[in-house]
């Protein structure tokens, strides 16, 4: 072997050792941070716990395009004891009637929201999914002036 081949092999070996050392340091850092700051996953209990209240968690979406309507209803719902965890706009603004969508298989909480708003039971739908960590979604339609919540 010539000296230039030895230097080339030595450089490649040192580069590989350096890369693997850096990779080891990153993996150790990741392990350390995982142990110090473990991931927290949102989970709901199936049982009634004394620590979990009967608060209904809602998402309020503007379905008619009136600016600030979701925020107005969020404030009113919170004053009436509902926990609004998300507000925003619905996928379109052509909703003529306000609807409540139950996000769990049990529609009781969605029906309680509908009763509080004065929404007909025919406008309560069930769309259960484990991707949602809330009880119901309220999509406010252009009939928002007829709703009874103060």
């Amino acid at each position: 072997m010539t000296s230039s081949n030895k230097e080339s092999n030595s450089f490649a070996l040192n580069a590989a050792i350096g890369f693997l050392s850096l990779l080891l340091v990153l993996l150790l850092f990741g392990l350390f941070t995982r142990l110090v700051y473990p991931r927290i996953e949102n989970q709901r209990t199936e049982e009634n716990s004394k620590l979990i209240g009967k608060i209904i968690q809602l998402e309020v979406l503007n379905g008619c395009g009136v600016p600030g309507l979701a925020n107005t209803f969020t404030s009113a719902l919170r004053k009436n004891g509902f926990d609004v965890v998300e507000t925003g706009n619905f996928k379109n603004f052509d909703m003529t009637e306000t609807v409540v969508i139950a996000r769990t298989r049990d529609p009781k909480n969605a029906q309680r929201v509908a009763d509080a708003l004065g929404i007909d039971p025919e406008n309560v739908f069930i769309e259960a999914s484990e991707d949602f960590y809330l009880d119901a979604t309220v999509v406010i339609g252009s009939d928002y002036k007829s709703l009874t919540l103060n």
Side-chain angles (χ1 to χ4, degrees), residues 21-34:
S21 298
L22 180 64
L23 185 61
L24 179 64
V25 168
L26 289 174
L27 288 173
L28 289 174
F29 178 75
L31 177 64
F32 174 75
T33 57
R34 178 60 58 95

Side-chain angles (χ1 to χ4, degrees), residues 14-83:
N14 286 336
I17 291 172
F19 174 75
L20 292 174
S21 298
L22 180 64
L23 185 61
L24 179 64
V25 168
L26 289 174
L27 288 173
L28 289 174
F29 178 75
L31 177 64
F32 174 75
T33 57
R34 178 60 58 95
L35 292 174
V36 174
Y37 305 108
R39 286 187 182 170
I40 299 172
E41 295 182 19
N42 291 333
Q43 295 179 353
R44 284 196 161 187
T45 64
E46 297 298 324
E47 304 171 8
N48 287 334
S49 172
K50 293 178 182 177
L51 299 176
I52 298 174
K54 302 283 185 200
I55 296 173
I56 299 173
Q57 292 183 326
L58 302 175
E59 172 185 40
V60 178
L61 301 176
N62 185 346
C64 66
V66 175
L69 190 60
N71 288 333
T72 302
F73 271 86
T74 294
S75 298
L77 286 164
R78 284 180 176 161
K79 286 179 186 174
N80 284 281
F82 295 102
D83 181 18

